[in-house]
Structures are given as C-alpha cells and as structure tokens.
C-alpha cells in the first residue's frame, strides 16, 4: 500500500475484511463502489465488498468452520439456530437465499420456511 506505518492499520482491518468476504486493494485501484479507508489523513487501503450472493456463501462457509463440520450434519435444533442467525443477518433477502441455505443445511426449502415461521411464532 503506502508507507510502513500503514501496515498495522491494514493488519487491524484485514480480519474484518476477510470475515465479510471482501478484498483489500491499493487506494489508487479503488472503483467508485469500493470503500477507501484513511488513516492519519491519508488514503491507506480500499476495500472491495462482495456481492450479496457471494456474502451468503462466505457466511455459510464461516459458520461451517465455526461448527467444525458441514452444516448438513448438524441436528435439527442447531439447524434452526443457524436459520435464526442467518435471518438476523439478512440472508433471506438475497435472491435464492432460502434455496442456498436449504442446500447447505441438507433440508428442503419448506423446512427452512418452517424454521423461519417457528421463530416468528415463538
């Protein structure tokens, strides 16, 4: 990026960018849709955010890593918890979100809708 004084800043934001599924770029390569971060008055790094559909895939992969096994191998209660977390994160506002989540969980779309409706009724 720029000078060596910026490296701690970049190291500090990298885990957040990685968690979002984003990409770090030099600020001079930023497009108008990218987010440019400044430190001490200078543009240090640009962050390219993922497309929403890619974000959902990234979130599902991160949840699998956290659980230590494929989401499809979770029990029903754990799958319901995954659906609740995903709903809170807006996963079902993404086109084909229900289908993507159902596939990752190894259940039908109908089951995902049942989990969602169970939360609303609780």
């Amino acid at each position: 990026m720029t000078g060596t004084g910026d490296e701690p800043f970049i190291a500090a934001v990298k885990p957040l960018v990685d968690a979002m599924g984003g990409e770090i770029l030099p600020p001079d390569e930023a497009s108008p849709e990218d987010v440019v971060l400044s430190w001490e008055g200078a543009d240090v790094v640009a962050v390219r955010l993922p497309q929403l559909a890619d974000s959902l895939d990234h979130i599902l992969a991160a949840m699998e890593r956290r659980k230590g096994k494929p989401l499809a191998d979770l029990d029903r209660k754990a799958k319901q918890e995954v659906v609740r977390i995903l709903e809170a994160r807006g996963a079902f506002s993404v086109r084909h979100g229900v289908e993507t989540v159902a596939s990752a969980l190894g259940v039908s779309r109908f089951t995902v809708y049942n989990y969602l409706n169970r939360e609303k009724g609780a």
Side-chain angles (χ1 to χ4, degrees):
M1 306 291 136
T2 57
T4 57
D6 303 329
E7 290 166 8
F9 177 78
I10 294 167
V13 299
K14 188 174 181 339
L16 177 61
V17 174
D18 290 346
M20 294 183 315
E23 178 184 357
I24 292 180
L25 307 165
D28 59 347
E29 293 180 20
S31 71
E33 295 81 32
D34 295 333
V35 178
V36 177
L37 302 177
S38 298
W39 182 251
E40 297 179 349
D43 291 345
V44 176
V45 66
V47 177
R48 180 157 297 153
L49 300 173
Q51 299 297 312
L52 284 175
D54 295 337
S55 290
L56 180 54
D57 290 338
H58 193 78
I59 290 167
L60 289 167
M63 291 183 94
E64 275 196 348
R65 283 192 303 276
R66 246 179 271 133
K67 298 289 186 185
K69 60 182 169 182
L71 297 179
D73 292 348
L74 300 175
D75 63 25
R76 190 188 70 189
K77 183 175 177 165
K79 288 179 182 182
Q80 289 171 336
E81 175 70 8
V82 166
V83 168
R84 186 191 63 72
I85 292 166
L86 292 171
E87 182 181 28
R89 294 188 70 182
F92 302 110
S93 63
V94 176
R95 188 167 189 250
H96 302 297
V98 170
E99 292 86 347
T100 301
V101 171
S103 176
L105 292 175
V107 299
S108 68
R109 290 180 322 150
F110 180 74
T111 298
V112 172
Y113 284 119
N114 279 341
Y115 292 168
L116 288 167
N117 289 333
R118 180 180 309 252
E119 283 297 316
K120 288 181 180 29

